[in-house]
Amino acid sequence: MKTTRKLVGEGGGKVILFGEHAVVYGHPAIAAGLGRGAMASALPGERHELTVIDGTSGRVIERVGPDDAVSLARAFSEMLRVMEISTPVALRVTVDLPMGGGLGSSAAIATAVCRALAAYVGDESRIDDAVRASETVFHDNPSGIDQFASMNAGLFEFRRTPEGPRTRVLRHEPARILICRAARGVSTSEMVAHVRDLHTRQPQMSFAIDDAIGTLGLLAAEAIERADWQAAGELMNVNHGLLCALGVSTLELDHACHVARRAGALGAKLTGAGGGGCVVALAPEREDDVVAAWTQRGWKAYTFDL
Ligand code: PMV
C-alpha cells in the first residue's frame, strides 16, 4: 500500500425509465444516472471490513467482512479479489439512496468502493471488472445498465451486446421525474431468476414480451428527444403492463402506478427488478398532485431533475 491517507470514491444511483429485464436479453433500455448515490472512503484497517451507513440517519445499516455469509460480504470479497487487495482495508460507505428499491444502490456502493480502493492502491485499471464481479453477486446475470449509470451521469439508451455495452446519450429538454417507494424491495437476483424461469418454461411468449419492451425503448428514445412527454408517458404505462406480464409487479407497485395516473401523471411504471421497491412517474405540471397523492397514502416520494 502506498499511503495511509483517507481515499474516497463515488458512485451514483440510477432510475430505469424503460426496458428493465428485457435489457438482460439484449434489448434496448433507457436509464438516467441520479445525481446522488454512495460515497466510500478507504483506510488501512486491522482486517478487511466494509461498513454501510445510511446517509439520512447516519445509522450503520450493515458491517461485513469478506468471509461473512451475506450477499454484501460476497460482493466485498469479489471486489477485493479483482482489485488484488491483500493488506487489510477498512471501507466506510455512506449511501444516499433507498437500499434495495430498484434505484441501483448495489452498483452505486460497488462503484464507490472500487473507486476508493483504486485510489488506495493507485491503480484504476480494474475498477470496471471489480464492479461487474460485485454486481454479479447481486444480479446473477447483470446487463450492466446499473454499472454504466453508476459510473456516468445523464439520460442514456443502453444495450447489452456480446462485445460489451452499446450506449447513446439522449439529448433532451429538462424534465422532472417522480419516484415513489411503494414497498420494500426484494433481491434483484431473485427477480432475474424468476424471469429466467419464465423464459425457460414459456420461451416464445417471454421473448415476444422482450421484443415488445425493446420496441418501446426505441420509441421512447425518440419521444424523449422530441420532448413528447405525452407519448413517453403512454409508453411507460405500456411498459408497466408488459412487466406485469413478466410477473415482476406487485399489488403495491400497481396501486402506486394507478394513484399517480389518477393524480395527473402521463405515465407511471415500476422501475428496477420489481417484486417491491419503487415506481417512476412522469407528470409535467402535475408533479405536486402526484407527490401529494403518494404521500397521503404513506409512501415516500422523491423528485429528480433530469
Ligand atoms: O438493480 P435493479 O433492481 O434496479 O434491477 C436492474 C435491472 C434488471 O434489468 C432487472 C437487471 C439487470 O441487470 O439489468
Side-chain angles (χ1 to χ4, degrees):
M1 297 300 141
K2 290 186 165 173
T3 176
T4 54
R5 269 191 308 127
K6 181 160 135 181
L7 294 156
V8 297
E10 276 183 87
K14 64 94 196 26
V15 58
I16 300 182
L17 295 175
F18 293 92
E20 47 276 267
H21 287 291
V23 70
V24 172
Y25 299 89
H27 292 277
I30 298 177
L34 299 173
R36 57 196 262 195
M39 169 75 83
S41 64
L43 277 172
E46 288 181 2
R47 59 188 190 95
H48 287 315
E49 190 173 76
L50 172 62
T51 305
V52 180
I53 298 153
D54 175 56
T56 312
S57 65
R59 217 168 34 84
V60 172
I61 306 171
E62 217 172 338
R63 176 172 288 139
V64 296
D67 299 324
D68 293 340
V70 291
S71 302
L72 182 67
R74 279 191 288 125
F76 183 34
S77 157
E78 282 296 282
M79 292 188 257
L80 293 171
R81 179 183 66 76
V82 178
M83 297 292 296
E84 296 186 358
I85 310 287
S86 49
T87 51
V89 59
L91 285 134
R92 288 174 75 81
V93 199
T94 303
V95 186
D96 193 19
L97 282 174
M99 298 268 292
L103 300 184
S105 53
S106 67
I109 290 174
T111 298
V113 166
C114 293
R115 282 177 170 166
L117 287 173
Y120 188 74
V121 293
D123 177 4
E124 297 192 341
S125 66
R126 298 189 183 90
I127 295 176
D128 275 353
D129 289 346
V131 175
R132 192 173 314 111
S134 170
E135 281 292 273
T136 302
V137 171
F138 288 106
H139 283 215
D140 188 16
N141 174 19
S143 66
I145 192 168
D146 285 20
Q147 175 166 355
F148 184 82
S150 75
M151 297 182 150
N152 298 279
L155 184 63
F156 59 89
E157 190 182 293
F158 178 98
R159 195 164 187 158
R160 179 186 207 177
T161 77
E163 295 76 43
R166 215 164 65 212
T167 61
R168 182 171 78 88
V169 174
L170 299 183
R171 288 178 312 275
H172 64 94
E173 302 282 314
R176 178 162 287 183
I177 53 162
L178 310 175
I179 294 175
C180 164
R181 186 168 164 80
R184 269 174 61 93
V186 302
S187 90
T188 299
S189 60
E190 202 178 302
M191 300 315 293
V192 169
H194 165 86
V195 174
R196 190 180 49 235
D197 285 352
L198 190 68
H199 280 72
T200 309
R201 284 186 286 107
Q202 297 278 5
Q204 238 183 323
M205 179 197 76
S206 305
F207 288 118
I209 296 171
D210 293 342
D211 277 344
I213 292 178
T215 302
L216 292 183
L218 296 176
L219 294 173
E222 287 171 16
I224 289 168
E225 291 198 308
R226 57 173 200 273
D228 186 346
W229 305 122
Q230 183 87 37
E234 201 161 33
L235 292 164
M236 284 170 86
N237 291 334
V238 178
N239 195 162
H240 182 75
L242 292 169
L243 289 164
C244 292
L246 287 177
V248 297
S249 192
T250 63
L251 183 65
E252 292 85 1
L253 294 170
D254 290 349
H255 188 190
C257 287
H258 283 287
V259 165
R261 292 172 197 147
R262 187 172 287 181
L266 296 176
K269 63 179 275 293
L270 74 82
T271 183
C278 293
V279 153
V280 57
L282 195 58
E285 289 164 32
R286 299 292 299 275
E287 284 97 348
D288 291 349
D289 297 334
V290 173
V291 167
W294 279 337
T295 45
Q296 267 162 26
R297 284 164 179 82
W299 291 317
K300 220 168 153 70
Y302 309 83
T303 58
F304 290 97
D305 290 317
L306 298 179

